[in-house]
Amino acid sequence: MSFIAIDLDGTLINNNHEISKENVKAIKHAMKKGYEVVIATGRAYFDVQRILKEAGLSLYIISANGSNIHSLSGTKILSVTIPREKAREMILWFDKHHYYYEVFTDNGIYTPAKGREILREEMEQLKNVTSAEEYALMELELEKQFSQSGFVYMEHYEEVFQADENIYNILIYTFLNEKRNRGWDKYKAERDLTLVTSSKYNFEIEHKNASKGNALLYLAKVLNKDLQNSMAIGDSGNDVSMFEVVTNSFAMKNADEKVKSKARYVTASNDENGVAKAIEKHLESVEE
Ligand code: CA
């Protein structure tokens, strides 16, 4: 049997920030049939662990967009870091240019203490030029962003280097399109880095070898299995690397059009148990 790789935000988690009973049931059903179910997310490991525990699930976890893999018992089996000097250069630049950012490490998500104020100022700037609907979406996204666990608030960006942490992933978040494009353009051409996006307002930077798809390939190798008859499901740009290495790829109904075009199938939305529906379809298609 093979793998079922599932993204979290916008995919397994519904808009109430929960994993539905239907989705848990479908995952357990697949596990009973011998599938290895893997969570593949941009979130930090400790954050994912908390979410799975609440849902009563114990699974392999690919975190920080493929920078880490942890086993069921919490053993780290893959660790791909951003070189320290490169990380320092980027953090310095984003800090200097007044960005909200998060630095993913083993022990916490380091973020500037003034970060939330920066995002509030951006929202204030957009208040009169944004529709009420869009503004409500921004509020919702912000709430989701701040609901992660393990934040470490820094008065100065040097604190993350003083803590001597491995750096896996730098997440940039801004409501201002032009500012986001400027940050992306600054680092998009770097040969040693990968840039991906996992929501409308962010992008994330990691080592060029780190991707959800690469992590899945690595896990298959470690477990001495292959990816034949495997499936992956997601809603954003950071999921496309998984779509490229599995047999059946599923985009959520709520995914961007570009992501949908890269998937073999489109399933229901994250509020309609799209994961459970995709798993059932996959099991049927493989057993035929
Ligand atoms: Ca997602």
Side-chain angles (χ1 to χ4, degrees):
M1 280 301 162
S2 193
F3 291 89
I4 295 179
I6 309 170
D7 167 54
L8 274 184
D9 292 283
T11 300
L12 186 59
I13 298 178
N14 63 23
N15 293 339
N16 288 328
H17 307 295
E18 296 159 345
I19 302 177
S20 71
K21 283 195 186 80
E22 288 84 352
N23 282 345
V24 171
K25 200 174 140 198
I27 287 171
K28 289 189 170 165
H29 177 62
M31 289 168 83
K32 218 180 230 169
K33 292 207 150 209
Y35 284 88
E36 205 64 78
V37 180
V38 182
I39 295 299
T41 176
R43 286 189 188 241
Y45 170 67
F46 41 81
D47 197 23
V48 185
Q49 227 186 357
R50 173 185 59 89
I51 294 166
L52 292 190
K53 205 171 168 189
E54 277 169 19
L57 292 169
S58 175
L59 307 170
Y60 279 95
I61 297 172
I62 293 171
S63 58
N65 286 322
S67 300
N68 281 309
I69 307 174
H70 285 81
S71 74
L72 274 55
S73 62
T75 306
K76 198 200 287 178
I77 47 185
L78 176 71
S79 169
V80 184
T81 60
I82 300 175
R84 231 171 159 65
E85 279 317 303
K86 192 78 231 172
R88 183 191 294 274
E89 178 206 314
M90 289 191 285
I91 291 168
L92 199 144
W93 191 85
F94 287 116
D95 197 274
K96 188 177 153 198
H97 292 90
H98 212 54
Y99 281 81
Y100 173 89
Y101 61 89
E102 297 174 357
V103 183
F104 285 63
T105 72
D106 286 313
N107 298 304
I109 300 169
Y110 285 71
T111 191
K114 61 173 192 242
R116 295 187 179 198
E117 205 181 299
I118 292 173
L119 290 179
R120 288 283 164 211
E121 278 168 18
E122 289 183 4
M123 285 187 78
E124 205 52 46
Q125 267 187 58
L126 293 172
K127 198 157 196 171
N128 297 322
V129 291
T130 308
S131 69
E133 199 189 3
E134 174 82 11
Y135 203 78
L137 178 71
M138 285 160 61
E139 292 273 7
L140 207 73
E141 288 287 321
L142 207 58
E143 194 188 310
K144 193 172 89 188
Q145 196 66 28
F146 295 160
S147 72
Q148 297 173 99
S149 53
F151 279 118
V152 179
Y153 300 99
M154 304 184 285
E155 292 303 327
H156 193 278
Y157 67 84
E158 275 297 337
E159 285 170 40
V160 67
F161 296 102
Q162 282 159 5
D164 200 25
E165 295 265 23
N166 287 326
I167 293 174
Y168 298 112
N169 186 14
I170 300 171
L171 178 142
I172 307 301
Y173 200 101
T174 171
F175 293 115
L176 309 175
N177 294 337
E178 201 256 336
K179 187 177 178 183
R180 196 165 49 252
N181 292 340
R182 204 179 338 130
W184 176 281
D185 289 344
K186 170 89 180 150
Y187 291 106
K188 69 174 181 192
E190 295 268 351
R191 271 207 232 141
D192 297 337
L193 301 171
T194 297
L195 274 65
V196 289
T197 176
S198 66
S199 97
K200 202 174 164 186
Y201 306 113
N202 78 10
F203 66 92
E204 302 175 48
I205 305 173
E206 58 252 357
H207 187 280
K208 73 169 185 331
N209 294 342
S211 75
K212 291 185 180 187
N214 280 352
L216 201 53
L217 286 170
Y218 184 84
L219 183 61
K221 210 166 113 188
V222 168
L223 297 179
N224 204 13
K225 292 182 179 183
D226 61 39
L227 288 170
Q228 211 184 344
N229 294 335
S230 58
M231 77 165 258
I233 178 164
D235 72 316
S236 290
N238 63 340
D239 298 310
V240 172
S241 65
M242 298 199 286
F243 294 175
E244 289 165 356
V245 299
V246 297
T247 309
N248 282 334
S249 51
F250 292 82
M252 304 299 288
K253 190 170 146 194
N254 48 292
D256 329 326
E257 287 310 314
K258 209 176 154 191
V259 173
K260 283 181 185 167
S261 74
K262 306 272 185 190
R264 185 163 183 183
Y265 303 107
V266 175
T267 184
S269 77
N270 63 323
D271 262 348
E272 301 160 336
N273 305 309
V275 168
K277 285 173 184 156
I279 288 176
E280 295 315 324
K281 188 181 170 83
H282 178 66
L283 295 187
E284 274 169 33
S285 90
V286 167
E287 280 162 19
E288 255 167 25

